[in-house]
Amino acid sequence: MTHKPGIVITGASGRMGQMLIKTVLDSDKATLVGAVERGGHDWVGRDVGEAMGGVPLGVTVTDDALEAFSKAQAVIDFTAPEATLEFAALAAQARAVHVIGTTGMTDEQIAQLAPAARHAVIVRAGNMSLGVNLLVQLTKKVAAALDEDFDIEVIEAHHHHKVDAPSGTALMLGEAAAEGRGVKLADVSDRGRDGITGARKRGDIGFTAIRGGDIVGEHDVLFAGAGERIVLRHMATDRALFARGALKAALWGQDKSPGEYDMIDVLGL
């Protein structure tokens, strides 16, 4: 690239939005050209730097996403599923790379991204971390190597503000385990245990979600057999790593053809 791509951050006032803004500002490979918030938010119309408690940056927070996207080469979006679907259509109109870190999207909502991906690059991942995506690949390999004598459990922990469960990362890991086993996660997923549930069903992939304090993100994949256990673990201590991964994805997508991609593509894993 001979120029610095312009980046728009959606959900600018949120914790992840502010981290993304700081990450773009700290980068020598991209430029912040826009910040988007929902209509009626008290940041709209203010300089984003001042709204964040710092110096003016010359970027005014707007609720007009299309106008902001039209100036950008990439949009980084960690918001909510319904908002992300709207942003996908607008980013496609602007022919901007759309990096989606939004979690909690249903299969139906994910399928609704397909029309936008015919016109623009979409990079969507439940987790933008290099370490987590390595963990996904390892999970697939271990699941493929072990038969159903080994029970698989995905255990995740996040801060008490997180609104969806299991986390997007946990579902990525579950999908990887299912793919390694040659089955569909929907057919073997066990997400709820309460009361007299009966014995664990052979071949199921279980999920446990922990919510508390300010935990950034912890994920274990447990393979439990008779007399032995294998545990694959990733612990995140700073959400800046997700922001760095998202920016990496935005830059990677600049010369790619329209379509749907993930962090495995970005990282070449």
Side-chain angles (χ1 to χ4, degrees):
M1 290 176 287
T2 58
H3 70 289
K4 295 182 181 181
I7 310 290
V8 170
I9 305 300
T10 63
S13 71
R15 287 177 301 166
M16 197 63 211
Q18 294 189 52
M19 180 62 71
L20 287 162
I21 289 169
K22 292 175 183 175
T23 299
V24 173
L25 292 173
D26 289 342
S27 172
D28 60 359
K29 297 178 180 178
T31 302
L32 182 71
V33 297
V36 173
E37 259 302 343
R38 64 186 181 276
H41 194 282
D42 60 9
W43 278 30
V44 173
R46 298 176 62 190
D47 183 279
V48 70
E50 292 181 329
M52 290 172 60
V55 299
L57 297 174
V59 174
T60 301
V61 180
T62 180
D63 58 5
D64 187 341
L66 182 57
E67 190 273 336
F69 294 178
S70 68
K71 304 173 184 176
Q73 283 70 56
V75 176
I76 303 180
D77 174 20
F78 284 65
T79 54
E82 296 77 11
T84 289
L85 290 177
E86 293 182 19
F87 292 146
L90 298 177
Q93 287 185 50
R95 300 300 190 265
V97 174
H98 187 191
V99 177
I100 300 173
T102 301
T103 60
M105 297 185 75
T106 65
D107 290 343
E108 181 180 1
Q109 288 170 325
I110 292 168
Q112 291 176 42
L113 296 171
R118 289 197 286 269
H119 302 284
V121 171
I122 292 178
V123 181
R124 185 187 67 83
N127 194 299
M128 300 285 175
S129 154
L130 170 60
V132 161
N133 283 278
L134 285 170
L135 179 60
V136 168
Q137 297 299 86
L138 289 170
T139 297
K140 188 186 306 181
K141 288 180 180 292
V142 175
L146 301 175
D147 62 22
E148 291 184 352
D149 286 340
F150 281 80
D151 298 320
I152 302 175
E153 294 283 320
V154 181
I155 305 105
E156 55 101 342
H158 285 86
H159 52 86
H160 57 214
H161 296 291
K162 188 168 179 61
V163 298
D164 58 303
S167 68
T169 302
L171 293 173
M172 285 172 59
L173 294 167
E175 290 283 2
E179 186 176 343
R181 284 264 170 97
V183 297
K184 293 183 179 179
L185 181 60
D187 296 335
V188 297
S189 178
D190 183 359
R191 301 193 190 182
R193 297 181 184 134
D194 186 22
I196 307 302
T197 61
R200 190 187 198 283
K201 184 178 176 183
R202 180 179 170 86
D204 273 2
I205 296 174
F207 291 86
T208 300
I210 298 166
R211 296 289 177 267
D214 61 355
I215 301 170
V216 173
E218 300 177 2
H219 295 86
D220 287 359
V221 185
L222 168 66
F223 297 85
E228 60 181 333
R229 287 175 288 173
I230 300 166
V231 181
L232 304 178
R233 169 173 289 182
H234 180 270
M235 301 177 69
T237 57
D238 184 350
R239 61 176 42 86
L241 70 93
F242 307 126
R244 291 192 295 268
L247 178 57
K248 183 179 181 74
L251 298 174
W252 176 88
Q254 292 304 305
D255 59 355
K256 302 301 182 292
S257 300
E260 295 184 67
Y261 303 88
D262 59 22
M263 286 302 288
I264 300 297
D265 298 312
V266 174
L267 299 170
L269 298 174

